[in-house]
Amino acid sequence: MSATKSQEASSPASPFRYDVFLSFKGPDTSNSFIDHLFAALNHAGFHTFRDADLLEVRDYDPEKVIRESRMSIIVLSNNYARSAWCLEELVMILKLRTFGHIVVPIFYYVNRSEVRKQIGSFEEAFMIHEERIEFETDELVKEKLKDMLRKWRAALKEVANLAGMVIPNQADG
């Protein structure tokens, strides 16, 4: 059955090239959780995309890859919101949700309410993003950046309200 899933995802008749798109902040999760998750998904027959091998290049179109994936797993970690790249991916993923794209959040050592309310490390990340806006002199660019922040905040609230998995910090357990 797992071979069938992978063949379905990559068959010419299917609009899907991948079964799963992984969205994550590398330094928080790669070489540990993401590597294990990626290996487990592939072992189970799910053709999975992660950009870990493309981090220096970033020459792919993330929106196209997300559209070509049946589902997305978003691993929300302490530094996820510091990455404009991750937040833009999140917005793209949630847009496709309205067309049936399956979205599964994993709260990796963060509490769902931290994401929803944007407190703790998420609050700190937005303070950094807001500081960058303050130094912008072009008013049109400044407004565009403010709009991006609003979209990012709304996307984090939305994803925090989805059914998903919580991986608690060892200190929380």
Side-chain angles (χ1 to χ4, degrees):
M1 179 173 167
S2 62
T4 306
K5 269 237 181 267
S6 188
Q7 288 168 351
E8 253 179 49
S10 59
S11 77
S14 173
F16 302 111
R17 186 172 173 196
Y18 302 99
D19 294 305
V20 181
F21 176 87
L22 288 178
S23 177
F24 61 96
K25 176 72 172 134
D28 285 358
T29 58
S30 58
N31 298 325
S32 61
F33 181 73
I34 290 296
D35 289 342
H36 293 291
L37 178 60
F38 181 77
L41 287 166
N42 283 316
H43 182 73
F46 293 98
H47 189 217
T48 305
F49 179 88
R50 67 172 174 176
D51 67 0
D53 301 325
L54 305 172
L55 285 177
E56 287 115 24
V57 182
R58 292 248 193 238
D59 64 349
Y60 71 96
D61 177 358
E63 190 167 10
K64 181 178 185 282
V65 176
I66 294 165
R67 273 194 322 270
E68 293 175 340
S69 302
R70 290 180 186 277
M71 71 177 294
S72 293
I73 297 176
I74 303 160
V75 181
L76 297 143
S77 57
N78 278 314
N79 290 307
Y80 187 89
R82 288 183 186 254
S83 169
W85 182 270
C86 287
L87 292 169
E88 282 297 310
E89 278 184 356
L90 178 62
V91 169
M92 291 176 214
I93 289 166
L94 292 174
K95 264 194 239 176
L96 289 175
R97 187 170 168 260
T98 60
F99 300 105
H101 187 81
I102 300 165
V103 179
V104 178
I106 296 176
F107 301 90
Y108 184 78
Y109 296 165
V110 295
N111 187 307
R112 181 185 301 270
S113 66
E114 288 177 73
V115 178
R116 184 184 303 111
K117 296 176 185 176
Q118 288 140 46
I119 57 176
S121 63
F122 288 80
E123 179 180 29
E124 292 169 16
F126 275 95
M127 288 170 58
I128 292 167
H129 293 307
E130 288 167 354
E131 268 182 28
R132 291 183 185 136
I133 292 173
E134 288 178 30
F135 291 108
E136 181 56 55
T137 56
D138 184 324
E139 286 303 315
L140 289 174
V141 172
K142 191 178 270 197
E143 282 307 309
K144 184 177 178 182
L145 292 171
K146 285 180 183 178
D147 186 51
M148 283 174 47
L149 281 181
R150 282 189 288 273
K151 287 178 183 173
W152 294 348
R153 286 184 180 280
L156 285 169
K157 285 179 186 173
E158 183 179 341
V159 77
N161 288 322
L162 297 177
M165 176 183 229
V166 177
I167 299 177
N169 192 330
Q170 298 297 343
D172 296 340

